[in-house]
Amino acid sequence: MNADDWANQPYNAHISGNGGLEQAGAVFDRNGVALAQTADNNRNYNENLSIRKALLHTVGDNSLNISTAVQSKYRSQLTGYNLIWGLNMPQSLRASHDITLTVDAKACAAAYDVLASYDKKGACVVYNYKTGEVICSVSTPGYDPQNPPDITPENESEYDGVYLDNVVSSSYIPGSIFKLVTAAAAIENIPDLYRRTWECYGSEEIGGSDITCVENHGTINFQEAMAHSCNIVFAELAVELGAEKMTAAAEKIGINASFEFDDIKTAKGHYDVSKADKNQLAWSGVGQYNDAVNPMQMAVICGAIANGGKSVNPTYIKSGTGDLMKLIGLNKGESKELFNASTAQKLGEVMRYTITDYYGDNLFGNLSVCAKTGTGEVGNDKKPNAWMVGYSQDQDCPLAFACVVEDAGFGFEYAGPVAQAAMKASAEALRGKK
């Protein structure tokens, strides 16, 4: 009854050559580009080095070390393991065990080339917030699956994190992208929010210690505070809202929960101000204190804002064996309300204003993008996490994205170029440009 699980165990990979992939079906991208296939009893990966590295964490390699990858997660479906025949079913009786993914190889390579150029840990994901199809998903660091490294105790520090898909399995201090959560709470609980102004002089004492801002903004309203990412305004809003309302907003959006990704659950984010003092509560409103978020989680949240408040579960499986489609079909396309429609609309408006008023509307080519950047201060002599999250309003390119570069610097400077490359290439994939 548990034959598939048995066949997929790491200690049974020896039952066939190439880590159990000797007779496995092929893995294709959305356009039929072969990402992994077997020929002459050898498992081969795409001839393009950037594509191979970009899709390492999505496709996997011959090993089972990347547990969330397709070739690890769905190995029994790829190999056609059968309770009666095992892996030795006659070829004449074998059904197709190919798997087609939703990702676009060129889009993934474009994003990966920019992300990998920083030589930092990071992640970038772009998905269709209407259908749930993941168009681009890349994680660094990685390696070439065609020539995997021999990792030993002596060199393991050099390859730290290569087996982890940061898109789904890591969480990071968010910095100012968390202001979307604070903004949602403020929109729903402060009636005169859009009539107010605040004063920002670069720092303000709250709860006995200073809250600092990167600029002296002077008199500023809510929309301007989001566009210019004013820490003072969002710190004051968090304190005014209080721990209970801030927590309720974070819980409703799903910060402390996992999102379904086919048969995978994302890493949970974190928001807990139950023991926070006034100053810590203020910092939590700007994405510091003990806040944490996951990249896929943030893409889904942005997709919900774009989608009138309702999220759509992501998927990277376009087609495959019957058993596989039945397995992922349980959650495919499932939606959940994260925001009410009015809140989603207002968040979208202020995110759009952030691009048009502050960053410039030519960043993403001919896409109409709503976005927020973040710079998550980590401490311990590390540089900040650089973030950019958002979505496009275009009907033919309903794309939501999240990009993070660890130990980097300002979000716009480091995550911005990754997001631009990923979104432009993903839009070309949806619009049918080769």
Side-chain angles (χ1 to χ4, degrees), residues 69-80:
V70 166
Q71 292 191 155
S72 299
K73 195 74 179 175
Y74 305 122
R75 185 156 298 207
S76 65
Q77 286 84 2
L78 279 166
T79 58

Side-chain angles (χ1 to χ4, degrees), residues 44 63 142 199 237 294 299:
N44 299 311
S63 75
E199 302 295 326
L237 286 172
N294 164 263

